[in-house]
Amino acid sequence: ANGGASKGTKQMAWLASMAGMGVMLSPVGFLGGQIILRAAVGTGLMVGSIASVAMTAPSESFLWMAAPLNMGLGVVVLSSFGSFFFPASPILHNIVLYGGLGLFGGYVLYDTQKLQYNAQHKKVYSPMNEGFGLYLDTINIFIRLAQILAMQQGGGKRR
C-alpha cells in the first residue's frame, strides 16, 4: 500500500531527511537572528497566502503549471551552475535569487493543488509523501528571502 516500506522505515527515512536538512540549513544561522526572523515571517506570509489562493481556486486550475515550472527550474539550475563559472555576473545571480523566489512561489501554487487533488482522488494517500514537495518549496523560499534580506542589510553586497 505504501510502496512496500513499513511505517517505521518510512518514518526513519523522514527523520533522516529532516536531520540532513537541518544540517544543510545550519549555516543560515550565521546571518543573524533579525534576518532569520524576518525571513521566517516573510516565508510564512508568502507561503500561507499563496497556498490559500491555491486551496480556494477552482479544482485543478493550477495543475497545468507543471511543465512551465519545471522549465523555469531548469533555467534557475543552469543559472546557478553558470554562477560558478561567471561569479561576477549580476544577471545570473538575480535569476537564481529573484527568479527562484518567484518560481518556488509558483511551485507552492502547483504543489498545494496537487496535494489537494491527490487527497481527493487517490485510493492510498500519504500525507508525508504528498507534503514533501510543499516543504521543499517553503525551505527554498525561506533561503532566498534570507539571502535578499542579508544583501539589503549589507548594502547590496553579495554574500
Side-chain angles (χ1 to χ4, degrees):
N2 62 2
S6 71
K7 190 173 186 178
T9 303
K10 186 176 186 178
Q11 290 173 337
M12 291 307 293
W14 179 81
L15 181 65
S17 173
M18 296 303 113
M21 192 62 70
V23 169
M24 297 296 286
L25 286 174
S26 61
V28 176
F30 290 111
L31 294 176
Q34 187 67 23
I35 290 174
I36 293 172
L37 181 62
R38 289 175 61 200
V41 169
T43 301
L45 290 172
M46 184 174 171
V47 171
S49 60
I50 293 173
S52 296
V53 167
M55 291 294 292
T56 58
S59 181
E60 303 177 36
S61 49
F62 295 113
L63 293 181
W64 65 269
M65 295 173 63
L69 287 171
N70 289 332
M71 287 188 287
L73 183 60
V75 170
V76 170
V77 168
L78 288 175
S79 298
S80 182
F81 284 135
S83 295
F84 289 127
F85 299 108
F86 305 105
S89 172
I91 294 171
L92 293 176
H93 179 70
N94 287 338
I95 289 172
V96 172
L97 199 58
Y98 298 104
L101 184 61
L103 176 76
F104 286 107
Y107 267 115
V108 169
L109 276 173
Y110 172 75
D111 286 339
T112 301
Q113 268 210 338
K114 186 176 85 170
L115 191 142
Q116 184 180 21
Y117 178 84
N118 288 342
Q120 294 169 351
H121 295 94
K122 273 191 170 180
K123 290 182 182 181
V124 177
Y125 178 76
S126 171
M128 287 173 77
N129 291 350
E130 300 294 335
F132 198 70
L134 195 57
Y135 167 74
L136 292 176
D137 300 338
T138 304
I139 286 178
N140 277 293
I141 289 171
F142 171 74
I143 290 170
R144 280 165 173 76
L145 283 177
Q147 287 176 322
I148 291 168
L149 292 170
M151 285 175 29
Q152 287 177 348
Q153 188 177 29
K157 294 180 225 162
R158 286 175 43 177
R159 292 184 183 233

